Amino acid sequence: MLTQAKVPLRVVAAVVLAGGIFSAGWVANGWRLGGQLQQLQAAKAKEREGQAGALAAASEAARAEEQRRTAEQRGIANAAAKERDQALADARAAGAVAEQLRVRAAQLAAAARAAGHSAAAGGGAATGDPLDVLTDVLGRADARAGELAEYADRARVAGLACERSYDALNPAR
């Protein structure tokens, strides 16, 4: 009977020993897989870190471009305002000169009437003095020309500012 007990004991010992070897292999493989998993996780973390850095750099570049464009637009608006103010000052100066010319034309017409050198060839009461008509027509034409010049100056300044703004926003053009 002793031999029968020895056989199962040997079988049990062999099974336990085989199970230990198997579990040791399992553990070794698990450690190896665990190491690979850690490497994979580290690589993924590094990749996410790189993506976050690239996103931050792109965001910073976009912010810098926006600030550049805003500063460029502000500069263009300031230059346009200066050009508009200069055009208005020029228009005022031209208006003052035109007024002086109208006054001088009226003085010359009055002097011609006073001297009795009327150019009217027998005009009736409805026609009026030709010098007065000429002075009036020239005055209205000059006033209208001044209005049109002022409008043209404003349109030119605005158009140039618009063109500069477009060029600043589209540097590839």
Side-chain angles (χ1 to χ4, degrees), residues 78-172:
N78 290 341
K82 287 179 184 177
E83 289 176 13
R84 183 196 65 230
D85 292 345
Q86 182 62 44
L88 287 174
D90 291 346
R92 281 189 214 108
V97 169
E99 182 60 30
Q100 290 173 352
L101 289 175
R102 281 190 291 272
V103 168
R104 181 67 179 142
Q107 289 172 347
L108 290 174
R113 271 191 303 277
H117 298 359
S118 177
T127 58
D129 188 11
L131 289 175
D132 289 337
V133 172
L134 178 62
T135 303
D136 182 53
V137 168
L138 289 176
R140 285 190 287 150
D142 187 52
R144 182 64 179 154
E147 291 171 7
L148 291 174
E150 186 177 334
Y151 173 78
D153 285 343
R154 282 195 318 265
R156 179 183 167 276
V157 168
L160 290 175
C162 182
E163 186 178 312
R164 286 191 304 257
S165 292
Y166 180 83
D167 289 343
L169 294 176
N170 298 299

Side-chain angles (χ1 to χ4, degrees), residues 44-107:
K44 284 290 188 184
K46 191 172 184 177
E47 183 181 340
R48 277 190 297 258
E49 208 174 274
Q51 288 173 346
L55 182 62
S59 176
E60 188 63 32
R63 188 176 300 116
E65 177 63 14
E66 179 184 355
Q67 290 173 350
R68 182 199 67 80
R69 287 181 176 194
T70 301
E72 186 79 22
Q73 294 298 314
R74 190 177 306 117
I76 290 168
N78 290 341
K82 287 179 184 177
E83 289 176 13
R84 183 196 65 230
D85 292 345
Q86 182 62 44
L88 287 174
D90 291 346
R92 281 189 214 108
V97 169
E99 182 60 30
Q100 290 173 352
L101 289 175
R102 281 190 291 272
V103 168
R104 181 67 179 142
Q107 289 172 347

